[in-house]
Amino acid sequence: MTGLPPHRLVTTLQDRLRDLEVEFHEAYWDSQVEATPERDARREELELELRRVKGDTDALDAVNAALSEEIHDAVLRRQLEVLRLSFTANQMDDATREEVVALSSAVESEFATYRPEVDGRRLDENTVHRILAESDDVALRERTWAASKEIGALVEERVRELARLRNYAAHQLGFADYYRMSLELEEMPEEWLFGVLDEVERFTDEPFRRWKEELDSRLRRRFEADVLYPWHYGDAFFQELPQDGRVSLDSLVAKSSAVDLAEKTFKLWGIDLSGVMANSDLYPRERKCPHAFCLDVDRSGSDVRILANVVPGERWTSVMLHESGHAAYDMAIDPRLPYLLHRPAHIFTTEAMAILSGRLVRRPGWLTQVAGVPEAEVEQLADRLAAANAAQDLLMARWIPVMAHFERELYSDPEGDLNSRWWELVQRFQLVTPPPGRDAPDWAAKIHISVAPVYYHNYLLGAMLASQLEAACTAESGNRIEDQATGEWLTQRLFRPGSVLKWSALVEEATGRPLSADDFATHVSGSGHSAT
Ligand SMILES: [Zn+2]
């Protein structure tokens, strides 16, 4: 393939990837809406085939050779760079590749079908969540929490093995380990990222301690407990706002369906999601993936789908807004862009849009305009809503570093004492006391560690960018984020360019400055954002 003119090389590889990628996305979707052994096998087979094509060493050599020449066409150059990154990530021998795909598929189906057993009853994810969010029965909470962690022991050895295999492939390419390789291929400098994590740890320390002390004293009273353990908090990982002390919007938003609310939100922004909703699979069912995601099946924006498990209330309304943010982004990318660049600039830029949308559920303007809550009612809640929005992101800012630091350590030493490391990080960042004497692979119960490796930090960068976008949009146009004009601003600045620009350049063009944690710091301190 070396010797082909760069534009021919790009179209050849693009054509080779496109059909296979679309076929894989279809199979992936099928396996998530209803897991069967045949569907799992088909999806695994296509994933392997796709990775094999991307593992073509000759193709990578040709791409590298083309990139070593001067290329003035920026779009052509970016396509070659995108190819270089994705082909490099897939260089490994066939046996390693097969083992990685087989192991990660097996772990993923394990998660998809796992139903923790409590008191002889198998519980689905929404039920586990409801018990931890609502129950006053501490013993039941503890049993439910412990049962939700049992999947960790079930997959632990396979997750360690995945880490070893991924490291092996990274070592062959000269990287220190898989974690470092992944960051580099995401165009994310490790030093910069961990600098940001340190900065966020510093500026959230005092407000988080203050917020958590108040929460803890309420929880101690509620549960009549001297010491609080992980099962006293509102979810299995203490990543969501507990109901205590937050404004529950369940009764306010439950009158409308989460799906209608999401559609209406984006309609106000001038983005029509009715086609997306029609293609989507939105309600819980047996053998269906219990989480939520959005998929642009053919990367044209014309077949975007959401998988969700909507039940009435605030949580799934917020999740639907989040996934709709991803969908809107996928749909609004400039249709003239070539296939390889017809995608968000980076994982975290699409997470930014999703987080920005998910936050709307606690915005007074959204509650009145979209959810139809009477203004007087919202006005009474305004201060508490602003505080809850800040607290949600504060909590996230202390949870994400647990994942990011843990993953870096997992890949630095897959043989290490990971059970202890996990709880050390949970204590350091989330200030949660581990259960006495606990020595279990609770880290492996978090699905992202096995199936979405080196991904989690993108949620923090996404939250930072969400705040930066909001600040830039407000300063420039005077519009609030929930106003109609914002849809056009976001479309032009964030969505349309696809991945023509590297993320750092896109952020600077969109907001006028490089990505920083400044606006996010203002956001989590609960000041600087009008409550209206
Ligand atoms: Zn997301």
Side-chain angles (χ1 to χ4, degrees):
M1 219 170 283
T2 313
L4 277 184
H7 67 277
R8 285 277 312 283
L9 176 64
V10 164
T11 42
T12 306
L13 292 176
Q14 164 198 289
D15 294 346
R16 198 184 282 180
L17 287 174
R18 176 163 40 195
D19 292 349
L20 195 53
E21 243 163 18
V22 176
E23 218 181 324
F24 167 64
H25 286 158
E26 293 275 12
Y28 181 78
W29 176 262
D30 290 344
S31 71
Q32 300 300 301
V33 295
E34 191 186 351
T36 65
E38 302 76 46
R39 289 178 178 206
D40 287 349
R42 166 103 185 114
R43 168 243 155 133
E44 188 181 323
E45 179 195 322
L46 282 165
E47 181 177 354
L48 191 58
E49 182 54 23
L50 185 59
R51 283 169 172 266
R52 205 177 284 134
V53 169
K54 289 183 181 174
D56 181 344
T57 310
D58 291 341
L60 179 59
D61 289 345
V63 168
N64 280 328
L67 277 168
S68 67
E69 306 286 323
E70 211 167 324
I71 296 174
H72 295 290
D73 179 343
V75 173
L76 182 61
R77 184 165 185 88
R78 189 65 190 149
Q79 289 178 87
L80 285 163
E81 282 171 3
V82 166
L83 284 168
R84 180 177 65 79
L85 299 170
S86 102
F87 275 62
T88 305
N90 284 285
Q91 298 299 308
M92 60 188 82
D93 60 78
D94 287 342
T96 306
R97 180 180 303 116
E98 276 163 33
E99 230 176 314
V100 166
V101 171
L103 269 174
S104 66
S105 303
V107 171
E108 196 167 349
S109 348
E110 197 86 72
F111 271 99
T113 50
Y114 182 71
R115 301 283 182 272
E117 191 180 318
V118 178
D119 304 337
R121 217 155 54 95
R122 299 248 159 228
L123 305 183
D124 64 20
E125 189 130 325
N126 277 330
T127 309
V128 168
H129 196 271
R130 208 184 49 238
I131 292 171
L132 293 175
E134 293 171 6
S135 176
D136 289 322
D137 179 345
V138 176
L140 173 66
R141 299 179 71 91
E142 182 175 350
R143 287 197 299 278
T144 306
W145 180 87
S148 79
K149 302 294 175 193
E150 278 165 12
I151 178 103
L154 222 53
V155 299
E156 173 197 5
E157 201 27 62
R158 281 175 283 179
V159 180
R160 283 189 201 257
E161 184 57 17
L162 268 172
R164 291 180 201 113
L165 287 166
R166 286 168 177 154
N167 274 350
Y168 170 75
H171 294 155
Q172 302 295 102
L173 293 169
F175 291 98
D177 59 37
Y178 177 78
Y179 191 85
R180 270 73 180 198
M181 176 177 93
S182 300
L183 285 187
E184 189 147 327
L185 298 178
E186 263 185 50
E187 302 179 303
M188 185 62 61
E190 182 188 354
E191 208 174 315
W192 178 82
L193 176 64
F194 280 79
V196 167
L197 287 170
D198 288 346
E199 186 189 350
V200 170
E201 183 178 5
R202 271 196 306 277
F203 72 66
T204 55
D205 190 63
E206 195 273 329
F208 183 69
R209 255 169 227 286
R210 193 161 16 103
W211 175 80
K212 184 160 176 301
E213 263 161 37
E214 285 172 24
L215 172 71
D216 283 357
S217 64
R218 283 194 304 270
L219 293 178
R220 271 194 294 269
R221 270 200 305 278
R222 174 179 161 196
F223 296 118
E224 297 172 351
D226 296 332
V227 187
L228 296 170
Y229 292 113
W231 49 84
H232 289 109
Y233 297 94
D235 64 273
F237 291 97
F238 191 32
Q239 62 180 105
E240 289 173 29
L241 272 192
Q243 284 190 337
D244 298 76
R246 95 171 183 216
V247 203
S248 173
L249 300 173
D250 283 342
S251 62
L252 299 183
V253 296
K255 287 173 210 129
S256 326
S257 95
V259 179
D260 291 346
L261 288 173
E263 239 186 287
K264 203 169 155 194
T265 304
F266 283 81
K267 202 172 203 168
L268 274 180
W269 277 341
I271 299 166
D272 179 7
L273 292 182
S274 56
V276 172
M277 298 308 174
N279 286 340
S280 294
D281 191 310
L282 300 170
Y283 301 98
R285 240 192 357 261
E286 276 293 301
R287 289 207 300 278
K288 174 178 166 181
C289 159
H291 307 281
F293 64 85
C294 172
L295 183 67
D296 181 4
V297 175
D298 60 1
R299 295 206 189 281
S300 72
S302 59
D303 185 5
V304 178
R305 305 175 195 174
I306 292 171
L307 179 144
N309 289 275
V310 174
V311 291
E314 175 182 343
R315 177 159 173 257
W316 277 99
T317 302
S318 179
V319 173
M320 274 311 291
L321 288 169
H322 178 105
E323 298 307 331
S324 299
H326 287 306
Y329 195 146
D330 290 337
M331 279 175 58
I333 293 171
D334 189 341
R336 292 165 304 180
L337 284 175
Y339 179 79
L340 291 168
L341 304 182
H342 198 284
R343 62 191 65 188
H346 198 279
I347 299 161
F348 87 80
T349 63
T350 182
E351 287 306 339
M353 181 54 204
I355 289 165
L356 193 67
S357 316
R359 281 178 186 166
L360 288 174
V361 75
R362 289 190 212 97
R363 301 285 296 228
W366 182 89
L367 283 165
T368 50
Q369 267 174 277
V370 179
V373 182
E375 231 162 281
E377 214 170 314
V378 173
E379 231 164 77
Q380 279 194 332
L381 295 174
D383 288 346
R384 288 165 63 208
L385 286 169
N389 238 347
Q392 170 66 67
D393 280 346
L394 190 56
L395 191 57
M396 192 182 67
R398 302 297 293 191
W399 155 241
I400 292 167
V402 173
M403 290 287 285
H405 282 275
F406 180 82
E407 278 200 287
R408 185 162 70 164
E409 297 200 16
L410 164 67
Y411 289 101
S412 289
D413 181 14
E415 319 308 326
D417 180 3
L418 298 170
N419 300 357
S420 305
R421 288 304 295 134
W422 174 257
W423 282 106
E424 281 160 29
L425 289 164
V426 168
Q427 264 183 298
R428 165 174 158 197
F429 285 99
Q430 297 182 288
L431 312 177
V432 171
T433 309
R438 182 137 183 116
D439 182 13
D442 296 325
W443 50 274
K446 188 71 192 164
I447 186 171
H448 294 73
I449 298 219
S450 42
V451 308
V454 200
Y455 187 101
Y456 226 79
H457 56 273
N458 287 301
Y459 294 123
L460 182 62
L461 300 177
M464 282 162 47
L465 179 58
S467 296
Q468 190 163 324
L469 285 166
E470 178 167 358
C473 176
T474 312
E476 252 179 69
S477 64
N479 291 311
R480 297 171 310 173
I481 207 74
E482 58 267 49
D483 289 343
Q484 194 165 356
T486 302
E488 186 55 21
W489 192 90
L490 288 168
T491 300
Q492 294 307 333
R493 301 295 178 96
L494 185 65
F495 309 155
R496 276 190 80 78
S499 54
V500 164
L501 298 175
K502 212 170 136 166
W503 67 262
S504 43
L506 177 83
V507 170
E508 215 164 330
E509 288 227 335
T511 67
R513 56 212 155 81
L515 181 64
S516 85
D518 295 352
D519 297 310
F520 182 68
T522 312
H523 174 71
V524 296
S525 74
S527 56
H529 283 262
S530 72
T532 51

PDB file of all heavy atoms in Angstrom, residues 322-323 326 350-351 354 455 459, ligand 1:
ATOM      1  N   HIS A 322     -28.939  13.309  28.818  1.00  0.00           N
ATOM      2  CA  HIS A 322     -27.516  13.032  28.566  1.00  0.00           C
ATOM      3  C   HIS A 322     -27.344  12.328  27.217  1.00  0.00           C
ATOM      4  O   HIS A 322     -26.599  12.784  26.352  1.00  0.00           O
ATOM      5  CB  HIS A 322     -26.972  12.167  29.718  1.00  0.00           C
ATOM      6  CG  HIS A 322     -25.533  11.770  29.575  1.00  0.00           C
ATOM      7  ND1 HIS A 322     -24.528  12.351  30.308  1.00  0.00           N
ATOM      8  CD2 HIS A 322     -24.922  10.861  28.784  1.00  0.00           C
ATOM      9  CE1 HIS A 322     -23.362  11.810  29.968  1.00  0.00           C
ATOM     10  NE2 HIS A 322     -23.569  10.890  29.043  1.00  0.00           N
ATOM     11  N   GLU A 323     -28.056  11.228  27.039  1.00  0.00           N
ATOM     12  CA  GLU A 323     -27.894  10.462  25.786  1.00  0.00           C
ATOM     13  C   GLU A 323     -28.368  11.275  24.579  1.00  0.00           C
ATOM     14  O   GLU A 323     -27.812  11.164  23.489  1.00  0.00           O
ATOM     15  CB  GLU A 323     -28.651   9.131  25.870  1.00  0.00           C
ATOM     16  CG  GLU A 323     -28.164   8.183  26.984  1.00  0.00           C
ATOM     17  CD  GLU A 323     -26.665   7.912  26.965  1.00  0.00           C
ATOM     18  OE1 GLU A 323     -26.047   7.961  25.884  1.00  0.00           O
ATOM     19  OE2 GLU A 323     -26.091   7.661  28.051  1.00  0.00           O
ATOM     20  N   HIS A 326     -25.576  13.367  23.276  1.00  0.00           N
ATOM     21  CA  HIS A 326     -24.714  12.620  22.349  1.00  0.00           C
ATOM     22  C   HIS A 326     -25.368  12.530  20.966  1.00  0.00           C
ATOM     23  O   HIS A 326     -24.725  12.712  19.936  1.00  0.00           O
ATOM     24  CB  HIS A 326     -24.499  11.181  22.846  1.00  0.00           C
ATOM     25  CG  HIS A 326     -23.579  11.060  24.031  1.00  0.00           C
ATOM     26  ND1 HIS A 326     -22.307  11.576  24.052  1.00  0.00           N
ATOM     27  CD2 HIS A 326     -23.745  10.450  25.235  1.00  0.00           C
ATOM     28  CE1 HIS A 326     -21.726  11.293  25.221  1.00  0.00           C
ATOM     29  NE2 HIS A 326     -22.591  10.609  25.957  1.00  0.00           N
ATOM     30  N   THR A 350     -17.964  15.011  23.179  1.00  0.00           N
ATOM     31  CA  THR A 350     -19.362  14.563  23.141  1.00  0.00           C
ATOM     32  C   THR A 350     -19.883  14.343  24.566  1.00  0.00           C
ATOM     33  O   THR A 350     -21.048  14.624  24.870  1.00  0.00           O
ATOM     34  CB  THR A 350     -19.567  13.348  22.211  1.00  0.00           C
ATOM     35  OG1 THR A 350     -20.952  13.003  22.195  1.00  0.00           O
ATOM     36  CG2 THR A 350     -18.766  12.141  22.618  1.00  0.00           C
ATOM     37  N   GLU A 351     -19.008  13.907  25.489  1.00  0.00           N
ATOM     38  CA  GLU A 351     -19.440  13.828  26.893  1.00  0.00           C
ATOM     39  C   GLU A 351     -19.805  15.218  27.417  1.00  0.00           C
ATOM     40  O   GLU A 351     -20.734  15.367  28.207  1.00  0.00           O
ATOM     41  CB  GLU A 351     -18.373  13.187  27.786  1.00  0.00           C
ATOM     42  CG  GLU A 351     -18.204  11.668  27.617  1.00  0.00           C
ATOM     43  CD  GLU A 351     -19.485  10.866  27.785  1.00  0.00           C
ATOM     44  OE1 GLU A 351     -20.442  11.363  28.413  1.00  0.00           O
ATOM     45  OE2 GLU A 351     -19.540   9.741  27.262  1.00  0.00           O
ATOM     46  N   ALA A 354     -23.262  15.943  26.400  1.00  0.00           N
ATOM     47  CA  ALA A 354     -24.187  15.086  27.143  1.00  0.00           C
ATOM     48  C   ALA A 354     -24.336  15.589  28.582  1.00  0.00           C
ATOM     49  O   ALA A 354     -25.444  15.633  29.124  1.00  0.00           O
ATOM     50  CB  ALA A 354     -23.678  13.646  27.117  1.00  0.00           C
ATOM     51  N   TYR A 455     -11.119   5.338  29.951  1.00  0.00           N
ATOM     52  CA  TYR A 455     -12.209   6.151  29.407  1.00  0.00           C
ATOM     53  C   TYR A 455     -12.686   7.178  30.434  1.00  0.00           C
ATOM     54  O   TYR A 455     -13.060   8.279  30.084  1.00  0.00           O
ATOM     55  CB  TYR A 455     -13.376   5.224  29.042  1.00  0.00           C
ATOM     56  CG  TYR A 455     -14.517   5.890  28.308  1.00  0.00           C
ATOM     57  CD1 TYR A 455     -14.652   5.757  26.932  1.00  0.00           C
ATOM     58  CD2 TYR A 455     -15.471   6.652  28.983  1.00  0.00           C
ATOM     59  CE1 TYR A 455     -15.689   6.370  26.251  1.00  0.00           C
ATOM     60  CE2 TYR A 455     -16.501   7.271  28.301  1.00  0.00           C
ATOM     61  CZ  TYR A 455     -16.616   7.119  26.938  1.00  0.00           C
ATOM     62  OH  TYR A 455     -17.643   7.734  26.254  1.00  0.00           O
ATOM     63  N   TYR A 459     -15.091  11.869  31.460  1.00  0.00           N
ATOM     64  CA  TYR A 459     -16.267  12.484  32.081  1.00  0.00           C
ATOM     65  C   TYR A 459     -15.890  13.777  32.812  1.00  0.00           C
ATOM     66  O   TYR A 459     -16.654  14.733  32.834  1.00  0.00           O
ATOM     67  CB  TYR A 459     -16.940  11.515  33.061  1.00  0.00           C
ATOM     68  CG  TYR A 459     -17.544  10.302  32.398  1.00  0.00           C
ATOM     69  CD1 TYR A 459     -17.161   9.020  32.759  1.00  0.00           C
ATOM     70  CD2 TYR A 459     -18.516  10.438  31.409  1.00  0.00           C
ATOM     71  CE1 TYR A 459     -17.720   7.903  32.160  1.00  0.00           C
ATOM     72  CE2 TYR A 459     -19.082   9.327  30.807  1.00  0.00           C
ATOM     73  CZ  TYR A 459     -18.675   8.055  31.187  1.00  0.00           C
ATOM     74  OH  TYR A 459     -19.232   6.940  30.592  1.00  0.00           O
TER      75      TYR A 459
HETATM   76 ZN    ZN B   1     -22.120   9.858  27.882  1.00  0.00          ZN
END
